[in-house]
Amino acid sequence: MLAIAVGTGSISKNKFPSRLSTSVACILLLLTTGCSQGETKSAQSIEAINANSAVAASNSISTLRIGYVGSSEPTGPLGWAKKKGILDSELQKAGFKNITFARFPNGPDLNEALVAGQLDVGSLGDTPAIVLRARGQETRLLRITQFNTTAWLVAKKNGPRSLAELKGQKIATQKGSYMHRYLLGLLAEAKIAKDVKVVHLMTTEAKAALERGDIAAYATSSDLGPFLKSQGFPVIDSSANHKGLSGTSLVIATESFLAKQADFPQKFNAILTEAAKDLKANSEEYYQYHAQTTKYPVDIIKISLPLKQISEEPLPAEGVKLLEGTKKFLVSQGLAKSDFKLTDWVAEEK
C-alpha cells in the first residue's frame, strides 16, 4: 500500500506585491468563473461530454470517467499507463468495466465538466484545480504527477527583448492555466502589471498571433516555449528563473465519486506509481510516445520534460511546497475565492 505523506519542511513564500493593478486583476478574476465569453470547446471534449452525459443519470460504479487537458491522448504517467495497458488491466481488477476519457482544451473547461457531474477524475494544472476547490467545489487531491513544469514568455520577432520593453504592449496567455499564473507572478515581481494589457489566447493560436504581430509576447507551456524558440522567436523569460513560478500537474477526484470508492486513491496511485517508474525505465520509448501525441519533435520534448519532474510518489515534498506557494498567491490576489489547507484537500488512502 502506498502512503500519502505531505512534506513537513517549511514552504517558501513567494515574494510578490499584495495586489495586482485593479485593471489587470479585474480581467483575471474571470479565472474563478471558468471559460471566457464566446470560447468554444474542442470537438473532442464536446463529443466526450455528450457520451458521458448519456450515462450520467444512471452512472454505475463500474464506469470510471476521466478528463484530461492536452493533446489527442493523455501524457505523463496517466497517458503511459493507458498506452501500456496498465490502467485498464488494474482498474478492471478493481471492478471498473468501462473507462472513458474526455479531452479538454484547458483547465476551466474540465472544471465545468466536474461541476456538472460529467467526470469522476480530472488530470489538469494546479491553477484551475486550486481555483475550483477554493470555490467550494467538493474535490480531493489524489496526486501530483509532475512538478517544476516550466512556463515561457516568448516575444514576437523584431519585438521586445526584455520585460521593460513590454510596457504599453499586449501580452497573451491561456487563461486559467499554470502559464497564466506564472505571467501574473512575473508582472507583479517586475512591477509592470499596470503597464501591460493581458488577454486570453489559446495555445494553439499563439504562433500565428505572434507572427502577425497581434501580440507582443505570449506566456506559454513547457513544450511550446522551446518549440517557438527553435523557430526563431525570442525568449524573454522562463519560470525556471524564478523561485515558485513553475507549475505542477495534478490528479483530482470528486468527493461524490470517492464516497462510493473509498479505496480508489490507493489503487489509482499504485497504478500511476508503476507507470511513472516504467516510463523512466523506458525513457526513449516514452519520449517517442509523448512526441507523437503532442506533435512536437523529440528533441523539444526532451528539453521540455526532464524526467526528474515526473513524480513516482503521490505527493513529493518539493511539489507540495510549489503547490502551497501557488495557492497562497492565488488567494492573495483574489483569484482563488477562499483559502484552504492542502492537508484537508488530500484524499485519504484506505
Side-chain angles (χ1 to χ4, degrees), residues 210-242:
L210 287 168
E211 288 175 332
R212 292 192 303 266
D214 294 345
I215 54 176
Y218 189 79
T220 191
S221 61
S222 60
D223 42 20
L224 182 56
F227 177 75
L228 290 175
K229 181 181 179 181
S230 74
Q231 300 293 300
F233 292 91
V235 173
I236 293 179
D237 188 75
S238 86
S239 64
N241 300 325
H242 308 271

Side-chain angles (χ1 to χ4, degrees), residues 31 42 44 68 76 86 109 124 128 156 166 185 194 202 211 213 217 231 274 276 293 299 310 338 349:
L31 265 170
S42 66
Q44 292 91 333
Y68 67 96
I86 302 171
D109 287 336
L124 71 171
K156 65 180 181 181
L166 287 172
K194 66 180 183 299
M202 297 298 290
E211 288 175 332
Q231 300 293 300
E274 180 184 351
T293 299
D299 60 335
I310 300 291
S338 63
E349 287 198 357

Side-chain angles (χ1 to χ4, degrees), residues 2 143 268-278 312-314:
L2 294 173
R143 190 183 189 92
F268 200 64
N269 276 325
I271 293 169
L272 295 191
T273 290
E274 180 184 351
K277 291 179 178 179
D278 189 79
E312 295 181 19
E313 57 181 306

